[in-house]
Amino acid sequence: MAREILRTKTFASDAANFILTKARESFAQRDQFRIALSGGNTPRSVYTEMTKRNLPWQKFLFTFGDERCVPPENAESNFRMAKEALFQPAAIPDSSILRMRGEIDPGLAAKEYQAELDTLAAKRDEKVYEHDLILLGLGDDGHTASLFPGTEALSETEHRVIANYVSKLNSWRLTFTFPLIFAARAVCFLIGANKDPKLIERVFSGDPALPAARVDQNAQSVTWIIEQKS
């Protein structure tokens, strides 16, 4: 694992620049950029910043690292946030977007999404779909994507996308599992200014109770972009 840390007061701009640098590298090597988006509020400003750039959106393939089990028009939907902040303003073609169907049975939705990724992987002779970049967040309990502490998804070794029941939320989530995240060429944690620095240090120290720490220690390449208060 190679960890890079960028602490910045120009969070949205620096994060967008990082993503676009990765995109250009991928265009040069594979003529496509496979990026998994993160939900929540922190990435919204980054997505908005990306819409200001002139990019070949048809060469992007957007997936989602996790999704709430709600319809796409629901306020809690990660897809809805990305649509409002990025997809619609940038007029990104539907062919560049692979949405998790949070509105159907969670188990079926997870199998469907994994099957779609497996089909794309097979076209490149990949055993597991290889993202060029996966964007991730960090929850106050140390979760990332929808890999929450104490949930069954943490022990999954075969499936790449699963339905994960989160008892403290009394709800199902769709999520990438560790095998899919570890297969990515790079991951990037987007961290807002209000995140507890002690939690971040626990992740960096490899606290086994925190799912984000497992990603930090085992992903191929890890970048942390941490917003600093002005």
Side-chain angles (χ1 to χ4, degrees):
M1 180 276 298
R3 180 201 299 141
E4 295 186 3
I5 303 171
L6 173 62
R7 302 182 189 272
T8 174
K9 292 183 179 180
T10 53
F11 176 73
S13 178
D14 285 344
N17 287 339
F18 172 82
I19 293 167
L20 300 185
T21 296
K22 290 294 186 183
R24 293 186 184 101
E25 292 173 356
S26 297
F27 294 155
Q29 296 171 10
R30 291 172 291 279
D31 202 37
Q32 186 185 46
F33 181 51
R34 296 172 165 185
I35 177 173
L37 299 181
S38 174
N41 290 320
T42 301
R44 183 185 292 270
S45 65
V46 179
Y47 300 162
T48 298
E49 184 68 24
M50 290 173 65
T51 68
K52 302 175 183 178
R53 319 297 173 93
N54 184 20
L55 293 164
W57 296 115
Q58 73 279 3
K59 292 186 178 183
F60 280 67
L61 181 55
F62 293 96
T63 57
F64 288 82
D66 72 324
E67 182 59 278
R68 279 93 174 223
C69 291
V70 296
E73 65 274 8
N74 189 286
E76 294 296 308
S77 167
N78 289 340
F79 170 78
R80 175 177 168 173
M81 187 276 281
K83 180 180 178 181
E84 293 175 349
L86 176 58
F87 298 156
Q88 284 187 331
I92 293 173
D94 289 343
S95 58
S96 291
I97 304 165
L98 190 58
R99 179 177 75 85
M100 286 180 166
R101 294 209 293 161
E103 70 274 23
I104 66 173
D105 175 79
L108 178 60
K111 290 180 181 178
E112 176 184 90
Y113 208 71
Q114 178 172 307
E116 290 178 297
L117 294 183
D118 286 350
T119 297
L120 292 170
K123 292 179 180 180
R124 287 191 182 173
D125 294 324
E126 299 168 347
K127 291 183 179 180
V128 178
Y129 182 89
E130 295 177 5
H131 285 88
D132 297 303
L133 180 64
I134 296 179
L135 301 179
L136 295 170
L138 175 63
D140 291 338
D141 59 358
H143 83 264
T144 192
S146 279
L147 298 169
F148 286 79
T151 58
E152 291 188 7
L154 302 183
S155 58
E156 181 60 52
T157 59
E158 295 184 7
H159 296 94
R160 275 79 72 192
V161 183
I162 68 167
N164 194 31
Y165 183 72
V166 185
S167 58
K168 74 174 186 177
L169 302 177
N170 191 29
S171 66
W172 287 89
R173 296 283 187 93
L174 304 174
T175 187
F176 286 0
T177 61
F178 289 126
L180 184 56
I181 294 173
F182 297 163
R185 294 181 175 88
V187 303
C188 177
F189 284 88
L190 300 175
I191 308 298
N194 294 323
K195 190 62 60 179
D196 184 357
K198 293 182 179 178
L199 174 63
I200 298 172
E201 288 305 317
R202 284 179 61 197
V203 173
F204 289 169
S205 69
D207 187 334
L210 307 180
R214 287 181 60 180
V215 175
D216 181 67
Q217 291 190 319
N218 293 283
Q220 295 184 44
S221 173
V222 183
T223 299
W224 289 76
I225 302 179
I226 305 174
E227 183 180 21
Q228 303 295 284
K229 295 180 180 179
S230 300

